[in-house]
Amino acid sequence: MSEEVVWLTIFVLSVFVGIEVISKVSSTLHTPLMSGANAIHGIILLGAIIVAGTADSTLALVVGLVAVVLAAVNMVGGFVVTDRMLQMFTRKKPAQPRGEGR
Amino acid sequence: MTTPTWVQLVYLACAVCFILALKGLSGPRTARGGNLIGAAAAVVGCAVVFFYLDLDHVGWILGAIAVGTAIGFVGAQRVQMTQMPQMVALFNGVGGGAASLVALLELEHMTGREAGWFELAATAFTIVVGAISFSGSVITFLKLQELMTSRPVVFPGLPVLFAAGLLGAVVLAVLTVADPSTATGVVLGLLGLLVGVLLVLPVGGADVPIVISLLNAFTGLTVAAGGYVLGNTLLLVAGTLVGASGSFLTKLMAAAMGRSVVNILFGALKGGSTLGAGEASDRPVRSASAEDVAILLGYASKVIVVPGYGLAVAQAQHTLRELVDVLGERGTTVDYAIHPVAGRMPGHMNVLLAEAQVPYEQLKEMDDINGEFRQTDVVLVVGANDVVNPAAKTSPGAPIYGMPILNADEAKQIVFLKRSMRPGFAGIENELLFDPKTTLLFGDAKDTLGKLLSAVKSL
């Protein structure tokens, strides 16, 4: 099997998994789910680190570092914002001791 | 660069965690855990690169990560719940921008060596779609933040310009594959920015959140293509998961609004139908004082509250909950009717009401409560408009035509708490406001609800 076909196989299978895992989502959770998925594609940070770390000119380094900053904003912001939304749904348990400051 | 086996196994574990994260996020009990699993996998996936690749500029990179983390963290902590949709849009946009820049730098690497056409095509795709996602998200942010009009922006020649931009991007992408150069890549990116702006400008009002979801899926696909370019399986799987689940979610949201994604994107280009009134009407309406409405509510045996974005903006959720409690003590049955797209995004209203600690059991979804309006004495519409607008059923020309609505018009009395006669987010007038059964109570929702509360208490 050529390498392209391996990649294509992973891609196609991931498409089905992606659809399957969220197929039973309740409409209440549409917004947090979108936000959580958004945070997951922040994994582009990994790619940004690689290109910044292999940059061979100052310009390339600067562009790479900009990409790192943007990707980190996406990832960290995405997960934190999702968690804040989801906290709203976890009041059923007795109050958590640590005060969530805002 | 060949990736060591142990790293590939770590990536596999991270990919599984991302699948579990999405799975967790689709159920209320497991959602928070799911999000944490995803975050942990993201941290591990990124940390691992430093251990197997011999990277330069590590100090700079760590500094940049620190800066990005600080911006993301502080932004996410400070944002109000009501502004959540535009924040999600912005985070998505910067992710798309990052993917675009990564691909641009990879293109520069490729010009120095033999690269396959498929690899080059994936690179061009990432550059242009990442740029579209970036500029499109910025426009959705501006619209939701009301820094620009939320109504569709269409000017003569827009369709032509859009088509030209798109065609230009395709031509340049082909050129990039045939003869890769950084200059072509940069122009391709700029064209992507233009196309993104032109794509989102004609989308108006309540449709904007659906476009955010679509752009979110776009960014996922660019990350997946980026993963192929960099030879990184984790990026490929994570990006594809988001691209596929995001596309599916977009379809679900569009279905909740009773329209197709194509219609949302290009509906406004076909003619004036989605251009709403935008100004206040001067037709007569019946308005009343808080005391009058308090009597209506206080002696009703069944009341349904329809909360909307206006409620959340006024921060009136707590006052509303108190009012509902008092009515409950007087023996009135009160339920909240939640339209799937109440607020600015599907599910947004549930988040906002949960913040005010409204008991989850009182929130009823549209399909469960729509049959009950007929037996309801008073419907109290607080800061909502589009979700009860009968035009969705009766006037085929209206931009919200076909969207399922709450049947507030079937109740015996309808009370609207409104700031003014200005139309809602979709920019169209609501016939229900002029119905003889309707009473309007003008003012800021928090003020008005406060007055209602004390008036009901003194009954």
Side-chain angles (χ1 to χ4, degrees):
Chain A
M1 200 153 58
S2 77
E3 200 179 326
E4 271 78 16
V5 178
V6 175
W7 285 92
L8 190 64
T9 309
I10 299 176
F11 174 75
V12 172
L13 293 180
S14 302
V15 168
F16 281 96
V17 174
I19 293 173
E20 193 56 37
V21 287
I22 69 146
S23 59
K24 288 189 193 74
V25 60
S26 81
S27 68
T28 310
L29 287 168
H30 278 176
T31 297
L33 178 65
M34 188 203 300
S35 173
N38 181 8
I40 289 176
H41 68 51
I43 192 70
I44 188 63
L45 177 58
L46 180 52
I49 293 172
I50 294 175
V51 291
T54 54
D56 41 22
S57 71
T58 313
L59 181 64
L61 177 62
V62 171
V63 175
L65 290 177
V66 171
V68 171
V69 173
L70 294 182
V73 170
N74 180 192
M75 179 189 280
V76 176
F79 282 118
V80 173
V81 127
T82 309
D83 190 61
R84 268 192 62 198
M85 276 191 249
L86 293 172
Q87 274 174 27
M88 306 301 165
F89 293 105
T90 52
R91 301 240 196 230
K92 293 285 150 53
K93 290 177 221 151
Q96 287 160 337
R98 60 195 174 89
E100 212 58 62
R102 224 184 276 123
Chain B
M1 46 193 152
T2 50
T3 314
T5 306
W6 72 269
V7 175
Q8 301 213 20
L9 290 175
V10 172
Y11 283 165
L12 176 62
C14 292
V16 170
C17 287
F18 283 149
I19 294 171
L20 294 175
L22 285 175
K23 181 97 192 138
L25 278 164
S26 40
R29 272 186 310 115
T30 50
R32 207 170 169 200
N35 188 50
L36 292 178
I37 291 172
V43 171
V44 171
C46 289
V48 131
V49 232
F50 291 103
F51 295 99
Y52 80 95
L53 279 179
D54 187 21
L55 296 171
D56 301 326
H57 325 294
V58 171
W60 281 105
I61 295 173
L62 291 177
I65 293 177
V67 171
T69 303
I71 297 173
F73 191 81
V74 172
Q77 283 290 336
R78 291 230 174 127
V79 63
Q80 305 239 327
M81 280 296 156
T82 46
Q83 297 171 333
M84 215 46 106
Q86 50 266 52
M87 199 66 186
V88 174
L90 214 52
F91 287 149
N92 174 53
V94 294
S100 195
L101 292 178
V102 168
L104 201 57
L105 288 173
E106 260 322 280
L107 183 66
E108 202 200 324
H109 282 204
M110 284 177 198
T111 53
R113 63 181 165 86
E114 265 319 287
W117 72 269
F118 198 77
E119 207 178 341
L120 286 164
T123 310
F125 175 86
T126 310
I127 292 174
V128 68
V129 181
I132 291 174
S133 192
F134 176 76
S135 63
S137 297
V138 169
I139 301 291
T140 55
F141 171 81
L142 294 176
K143 286 192 175 206
L144 288 173
Q145 191 72 24
E146 288 172 22
L147 293 172
M148 64 176 284
T149 173
S150 60
R151 294 169 54 215
V153 177
V154 186
F155 52 86
L158 186 140
V160 178
L161 197 59
F162 179 74
L166 211 56
L167 189 70
V170 172
V171 170
L172 269 175
V174 172
L175 214 65
T176 308
V177 174
D179 177 26
S181 82
T182 312
T184 329
V186 171
V187 180
L188 186 60
L190 293 175
L191 260 181
L193 292 178
L194 176 73
V195 171
V197 172
L198 295 177
L199 180 74
V200 181
L201 275 183
V203 178
D207 291 337
V208 173
I210 297 174
V211 175
I212 297 178
S213 177
L214 184 70
L215 293 175
N216 186 36
F218 277 10
T219 307
L221 289 178
T222 60
V223 171
Y228 177 77
V229 173
L230 290 165
N232 188 303
T233 47
L234 182 55
L235 290 191
L236 176 73
V237 175
T240 311
L241 284 174
V242 176
S245 60
S247 306
F248 189 69
L249 190 59
T250 309
K251 216 182 119 230
L252 289 181
M253 287 185 184
M257 304 272 296
R259 59 193 62 217
S260 73
V261 177
V262 175
N263 192 296
I264 288 166
L265 288 177
F266 303 112
L269 298 181
K270 285 195 211 124
S273 71
T274 55
L275 294 167
E279 302 103 30
S281 160
D282 49 6
R283 285 158 64 193
V285 291
R286 193 159 62 114
S287 69
S289 69
E291 285 72 25
D292 295 333
V293 175
I295 293 168
L296 272 183
L297 290 174
Y299 294 102
S301 61
K302 184 169 168 58
V303 171
I304 293 180
V305 180
V306 178
Y309 186 72
L311 169 81
V313 170
Q315 291 289 317
Q317 310 93 311
H318 293 89
T319 322
L320 175 65
R321 190 174 55 87
E322 273 185 66
L323 176 65
V324 169
D325 289 349
V326 172
L327 289 174
E329 285 161 21
R330 290 179 60 93
T332 309
T333 319
V334 191
D335 288 310
Y336 295 83
I338 312 293
H339 190 275
V341 295
R344 282 289 184 267
M345 245 190 215
H348 192 199
M349 187 51 64
N350 302 67
V351 174
L352 296 172
L353 290 179
E355 190 192 14
Q357 302 184 36
V358 170
Y360 200 70
E361 306 78 55
Q362 279 183 0
L363 306 183
K364 292 203 176 167
E365 309 246 331
M366 180 176 65
D367 293 335
D368 299 331
I369 204 162
N370 247 350
E372 293 181 26
F373 281 99
R374 220 175 273 279
Q375 296 94 45
T376 300
D377 300 307
V378 184
V379 174
L380 186 65
V381 185
V382 191
N385 194 357
D386 299 332
V387 297
V388 292
N389 192 340
K393 285 191 232 167
T394 53
S395 49
I400 59 167
Y401 183 70
M403 180 173 94
I405 56 161
L406 291 162
N407 299 330
D409 53 332
E410 291 179 357
K412 295 181 188 118
Q413 294 277 334
I414 303 124
V415 175
F416 271 92
L417 300 195
K418 278 181 76 67
R419 204 189 293 270
S420 70
M421 282 303 285
R422 248 189 58 187
F425 198 53
I428 49 163
E429 212 163 66
N430 190 344
E431 278 303 315
L432 196 53
L433 294 174
F434 307 99
D435 192 297
K437 290 189 297 185
T438 299
T439 308
L440 277 89
L441 184 50
F442 287 111
D444 172 79
K446 194 170 184 171
D447 262 16
T448 319
L449 284 170
K451 283 184 200 151
L452 271 180
L453 180 61
S454 48
V456 170
K457 274 183 183 164
S458 64
L459 279 178

